[in-house]
Amino acid sequence: MKEKNHSNHFLLLSVILIVFFFINIRFGSVPIPFKDIFNILFGGDISKDSWETIIINFRVPKAITAILVGSGLSVCGLLMQTLFRNPLAGPFVLGISSGASLGVAILILGSSIFGGALLTNSLSNLSLPIAASFGAFLVLSSVILAANKVRNTMSILIIGLMFGSLTSAVISVLAYFSEAAQIQQYLFWSFGSLGNLSWNELIVLSCIYSVGIVGTIFVIKPLNSLLLGESYAKSLGINIKKSRNIILLITSLLTGVITAFSGPIAFVGLAVPHITKIIFSSSNHKILLPATAIIGAIILLICDSIAQLPTSDFILPINAITSFFGAPVVIWLLVRKKKLYV
Amino acid sequence: MKNSKENIVLKTENLTIGYQQKKRTKIIRSEINLEIKKGKLVAILGKNGIGKSTLLRTLSKVQEPLSGKIFINQKNIQELSEKELSTQLSLVLTERLPESQLTVYELIALGRQPYTNWIDKLCASDIEKIEVAIEQTEIEHLKNSRFHELSDGQLQRVLIARALAQDTEIIILDEPTAHLDMHHTIKIFSLLKELVLKTQKTIIISSHEVNLAIQLADEMMLLSSDTFHFGSPSELIKANAFTTLFPKELVRFNKTLAQFVITKI
């Protein structure tokens, strides 16, 4: 298929990504000039020692997290939309994020109910992502089990929503029996935040992220044939069951680990694939997958830059910003184009 | 004798088709024994709900048979992997395609998936096969359009081109003329006939176009609630097989005209 025509698009997007990466690092409670940022990152004279700590230990990990989270969630949204052949699908709508929340809720809130056996004071690096991935995978497999029975895609979405509210109900019950400190810890997690990751945690996130993203390259072929529906995909020699399981595994792994570290971040997974499809006007996953990843990264970098309210001490919940600025963008794109594609 | 056996591309042995529901088994048709030769246009006729689609779905392994065997080139399709089957048999279905932004060329190129590598890279021979398919179906001018912008008649040609690009010996089409006017119906039928003659592929279609099928099909399969006929149109006319197709009150088969005529109004 003709990919060459899009190389300019990709070049432009990469430049935008790099620009917003530095803009994201530039702004914060302490303004640091670009000159010093470059000196810190690439070696050179530094005006203030504290700036180096801020850049290296806080802002760069946060910007990298934004890139990983933004691209990861967007790719998951794209996978879900194609798998279900439904433009409304996304990690959020299908209850996958709620599943991850449930995993985290059981870990954080459950520790106060079932005693500290589950969790000691320090949330160890891996227990949170494992719990979140497990929760995401649990909900997603339940949705799939139900999906195999009903077949109708609209019903699948509604089933996903129902699983979402079921998990919220379980979380409410858990919260009711928990102590205030745990509830607060969970609540802060659920606001979403990109800034809480240490370098060690970032390494864990990027390892699992890489596994997921590399996995998507192997499902490009089945994804493209699924654009014709399952019967055609099967007649083209695609092993539907195997492909579907791989796609679901990648989605739950990525959504789970991202949600674990950054909290449930709304809007990105649903909207970015559509923004990409409108910009590139293509359905070919060889183009869509990398494009969705880059655009997702850019958008989350922008949202995060806005969230830290330049030059102020406040940081707004990232979740609010993504929905607040994202939803109107999608509505505007849709009103203009009047059509959503799988 | 050996020669004629090699010519048989599709064969069924005591095939029973239907649906396996939780407790009941719904048999739609049993004891189907067919032998379809290479390079034939085969039309399956019968009124709505008689099991044409079920038969085609079973022959193409979309659905499991209740019992019996299906052979493609002497190989039991139960023993073929999906990948192997995809190089032997391609499909054109009636179901609507999900709305996407695929171009006509991309859609046809998907037909090459059984032959492409893991990343779906088209090599020179793939591109040539795609070009030939586009040429054979005369859709050169549509190549860069999006498939969802096409009319039903154009889309049907594109889907046929996709099946041709898949380069299989057998192509199965489920009601390829379902939404088409008379002009486009005839166009599709003559295209299929032409493809059979030119490429020696075996094309199996289900259809409601009795009169056209009689004129163009090499073999016909007539399904009615209690009988089953298979043979060339002239054989079937001689055997009075067409009278079984529809209830007699409204239409009757006229042997001299070789078509159905309305009994009375």
Side-chain angles (χ1 to χ4, degrees), chain A residues 1-2 85 149 217-218 220-222 224-240 276-278 280-284 286-287 337 339-342, chain B residues 57 61-63 82-83 86 89 91-93 95 97-102 105-107 109-114 116-122 143-144 146 148 159 162 166:
Chain A
M1 304 187 208
K2 295 165 194 163
R85 292 169 297 286
K149 293 240 153 102
I217 300 170
F218 289 91
I220 287 178
K221 192 171 170 176
N224 275 340
S225 65
L226 276 172
L227 288 172
L228 301 179
E230 280 186 17
S231 304
Y232 276 119
K234 201 177 164 211
S235 84
L236 285 166
I238 299 295
N239 186 334
I240 298 287
T276 314
K277 285 169 195 171
I278 288 168
F280 280 77
S281 68
S282 172
S283 283
N284 183 354
K286 273 191 220 171
I287 295 164
K337 272 274 189 173
K339 212 165 167 108
L340 273 184
Y341 295 102
V342 165
Chain B
R57 288 166 61 86
K61 212 183 166 187
V62 172
Q63 180 178 338
E82 270 139 5
K83 183 122 191 176
S86 67
L89 188 147
L91 290 177
V92 176
L93 303 166
E95 62 179 47
L97 296 175
E99 295 217 331
S100 68
Q101 304 190 86
L102 282 178
Y105 189 89
E106 286 173 327
L107 197 154
L110 283 176
R112 296 303 299 167
Q113 277 211 345
T116 54
N117 63 0
W118 66 276
I119 196 84
D120 208 9
K121 171 128 188 67
L122 297 173
K143 221 160 90 171
N144 296 318
R146 314 236 167 248
H148 62 81
L159 290 172
R162 193 207 61 81
Q166 206 174 328

Side-chain angles (χ1 to χ4, degrees), chain A residues 80-125:
Chain A
M80 289 292 96
Q81 286 169 12
T82 306
L83 180 65
F84 287 102
R85 292 169 297 286
N86 192 315
L88 288 177
F92 240 59
V93 183
L94 286 171
I96 305 167
S97 297
S98 324
S101 302
L102 179 66
V104 171
I106 291 176
L107 191 71
I108 297 180
L109 303 176
S111 65
S112 67
I113 301 169
F114 308 118
L118 279 170
L119 188 68
T120 46
N121 268 344
S122 61
L123 288 175
S124 75
N125 281 350

